[in-house]
Amino acid sequence: MPCIKDALSEAADALHIGGGAKKDSSSTGPTGQGLTLYIDEKAGSDSTGEGTKEKPFATPVGAFLAKGPEATLLVKKAEGAEGAGSTASGEQPVATSPDGYAPISGAGLKRAKKFYEAELKKKKKQEEKELADANKEGADTQRFEDAKKVVLEQPKNPAQYQKIKIRQGINSRDKKVKVSAWVHRLRSQKGRIFLVLRDGSGYMQAVLSDRLTQTYDAMTLTSESTVEVWGTLAAVPEGKSAPDGHELVADYWKVIGKAPGGDDAFTNKISKDADPSLLADMRHLVIRGETASAVLKVRAAVLRAFRDEYESLGLLEVTPPCMVQTQVEGGGTLFKFDYYGQPAFLTQSSQLYLETCLPSLGDVFCVQESFRAEKSHTRRHLSEYTHLEAELGFLNFAELLEHLEQVICGTLERVMANPATASLITQLNPDFKQPSRPFRRMDYKDAIKWLNENDVRTDDGSPHKVGDDIAEAAERKMTDALGVPIFLVGFPREIKAFYMKRIPGDEEFTESVDLLMPGVGEIVGGSMRMSDATELLEAYKGEGIDASPYYWYTDQRVYGTCEHGGYGLGVERLLAWTLNRYTVRDCSLYPRFTGRCTP
């Protein structure tokens, strides 16, 4: 019939209505016998229809579900159709009433009953599932109620259990110990519960068995809950594996703080595929993960190794102020604030203060936070970063470069000499190789030549020329292509800080250096400093800087000057290179960058 859709369309409609039609006592029985129901696919509704001309159903299946399969169905023809006709082969045309309704075709009726029966089966399965779920819920409820009655007794001689940190497990094999930790992972298997515990010092597997698994806490335990486990630390059976090769076979345990489950479960809060902004909001939970925590542990090891290396080289650590009234790297990136009615800034660099220490303390270094207000969204920029800086007296530029090589290579050698830290680095960056000395030296002018020979353009598409401040992307492309650490030296004075020493005989260029690493770019910036007071005063004037607030810095050239130099190293950038992290943000505990100052 022209008022009935083709088989595929009608089947789709029948499935679409699901069980949404109104139900009454005649929906599944023969009580629909003698009823005449009207179907209008455009104006009808399977949810509110009653089968009358005024309130027709939308589909035959909807009518059957509401009134039963014995009803007579009248289907409204499609607009523009001429006569009812039959779309099924061998069927005779059926007359259409003046209001456009005609009896459903035999094929249409057959299809409707077929889908009606399918819907009944689906409904029956759903009811069976709901019954089974209800029975299971009831059984679980009873099981939980029974579990609440199970009470574990603390061992009678608690003094024999020694309290340890997980890292001390190696020296506690075959002893009775007590460990407090977070549940990093858990799984149940044949009357046992296997826990991977984490306390920040390491990971340890614990095994709960028999009665220890029958408590309510055991049945509802979630990851990130805190627990206390008492037991014997034993080597894992042959062919099995566990952190450090042993497991804690529990005699007793208890929950200290239970983490939520369900929608608020830790695994629902944190996902490696989550949006970066969400992960940044949840940074306090992200750092519990194995990757983030490994990065932070390596970070601590690197800072410790730097301090050891500096001590071996005779440098003394000092702590300069973070609130300053002078600029170091240009006024455009200063964070300004009111300091008791006076303008002040968060420091860009501690360099100027380090220079003042040379006459009294000798060569010095600091590990401080520096702040840059540039609104940069690149993956290697932070608004607050850990700045490792050093100043050394009585040396020349060549000696400064040799010192830098020693500090970088010596520090990494110390880091890799620690098996635990080396293992973390291998876990995070399996391809890591320590840099070899000497680092490649490349003059700024030769870098401009290389960029043009290799058709690496400026941001506006033009060739590079001497005097350009080489953009980050071009600099990184060159470094990645050469594939080795590079000392890029001899920058033009116009693009460098006012205090940098000019190259004798080529005063338009400076005794300056950037250390470039493949994959990251610049990680160190340094130079020799002006040693002559008159030259420095002229440099202030050339930059339009009022020299009076810098009186204490200028005095270093007045009261006994010397040739001296120094540098600043971005710790997060060094870590990003060492650990092959895409962004320096991964290498900071709580990164601060444009638009992000939480949590």
Side-chain angles (χ1 to χ4, degrees), residues 195-466:
L195 308 177
V196 175
L197 304 177
R198 181 193 76 241
D199 70 353
S201 74
Y203 298 89
M204 177 183 287
Q205 179 168 287
V207 185
L208 312 181
S209 59
D210 301 328
R211 188 175 176 81
L212 300 184
T213 68
Q214 297 168 12
T215 65
Y216 180 77
D217 280 340
M219 296 173 115
T220 58
L221 190 61
T222 53
S223 61
E224 294 307 315
S225 296
T226 43
V227 296
E228 186 176 276
V229 183
W230 305 33
T232 302
L233 201 54
V236 293
E238 186 80 23
K240 303 292 183 180
S241 63
D244 292 330
H246 54 231
E247 61 187 7
L248 180 56
V249 181
D251 299 326
Y252 170 78
W253 76 288
K254 64 179 180 180
V255 172
I256 299 172
K258 186 170 290 183
D263 292 341
D264 290 326
F266 180 82
T267 50
N268 290 331
K269 288 281 187 180
I270 300 298
S271 167
K272 65 179 181 179
D273 300 321
D275 183 89
S277 63
L278 174 62
L279 293 178
D281 288 338
M282 294 292 157
R283 182 68 177 168
H284 60 294
L285 298 181
V286 169
I287 60 176
R288 298 186 181 201
E290 292 178 29
T291 297
S293 62
V295 170
L296 295 174
K297 288 175 182 177
V298 173
R299 177 189 170 100
V302 166
L303 289 173
R304 185 167 58 248
F306 265 120
R307 287 187 164 96
D308 290 343
E309 184 65 22
Y310 278 129
E311 184 176 0
S312 75
L313 296 173
L315 277 74
L316 184 72
E317 183 171 8
V318 294
T319 309
C322 284
M323 295 188 293
V324 302
Q325 291 184 306
T326 53
Q327 64 175 347
V328 181
E329 299 294 339
T333 65
L334 286 167
F335 281 102
K336 187 176 182 179
F337 63 95
D338 184 282
Y339 184 73
Y340 305 116
Q342 302 178 68
F345 314 97
L346 296 177
T347 183
Q348 301 166 314
S349 166
S350 297
Q351 174 208 319
L352 306 189
Y353 294 97
L354 292 179
E355 288 188 48
T356 69
C357 296
L358 293 177
S360 58
L361 302 176
D363 299 341
V364 291
F365 78 96
C366 71
V367 182
Q368 292 275 97
E369 298 305 289
S370 283
F371 305 86
R372 300 289 171 90
E374 57 188 319
K375 294 183 178 179
S376 176
H377 289 274
T378 77
R379 59 190 175 96
R380 70 173 198 166
H381 281 90
L382 291 168
S383 299
E384 176 185 358
Y385 67 99
T386 303
H387 208 176
L388 192 150
E389 299 181 86
E391 289 293 322
L392 303 98
F394 301 104
L395 84 171
N396 59 36
F397 189 50
E399 291 169 333
L400 177 64
L401 298 185
E402 290 171 3
H403 164 84
L404 265 171
E405 284 178 336
Q406 177 59 44
V407 168
I408 298 294
C409 294
T411 295
L412 290 174
E413 286 166 5
R414 291 175 185 273
V415 168
M416 295 304 290
N418 182 307
T421 306
S423 176
L424 290 174
I425 291 175
T426 301
Q427 168 192 326
L428 295 164
N429 183 11
D431 298 325
F432 174 72
K433 291 184 177 62
Q434 297 185 59
S436 59
R437 287 177 274 186
F439 295 168
R440 177 168 179 167
R441 270 73 166 164
M442 176 180 277
D443 189 87
Y444 164 85
K445 298 170 189 173
D446 293 330
I448 295 293
K449 183 179 179 182
W450 188 97
L451 292 169
N452 289 331
E453 287 176 348
N454 290 272
D455 198 31
V456 179
R457 301 281 177 141
T458 63
D459 289 343
D460 64 9
S462 61
H464 285 85
K465 62 182 184 299
V466 173

Side-chain angles (χ1 to χ4, degrees), residues 2 5 18 21 93 171 261 267 329 342 359 368 390 411 478 495 516 532 599:
K5 300 187 299 181
N171 300 319
T267 50
E329 299 294 339
Q342 302 178 68
Q368 292 275 97
T411 295
M478 179 184 72
I495 64 174
L516 311 178
D532 181 75

Side-chain angles (χ1 to χ4, degrees), residues 85-111:
S86 172
T87 56
S89 177
E91 292 189 27
Q92 297 300 316
V94 180
T96 302
S97 63
D99 53 12
Y101 282 95
I104 189 171
S105 70
L109 181 63
K110 185 176 180 180
R111 283 192 298 272

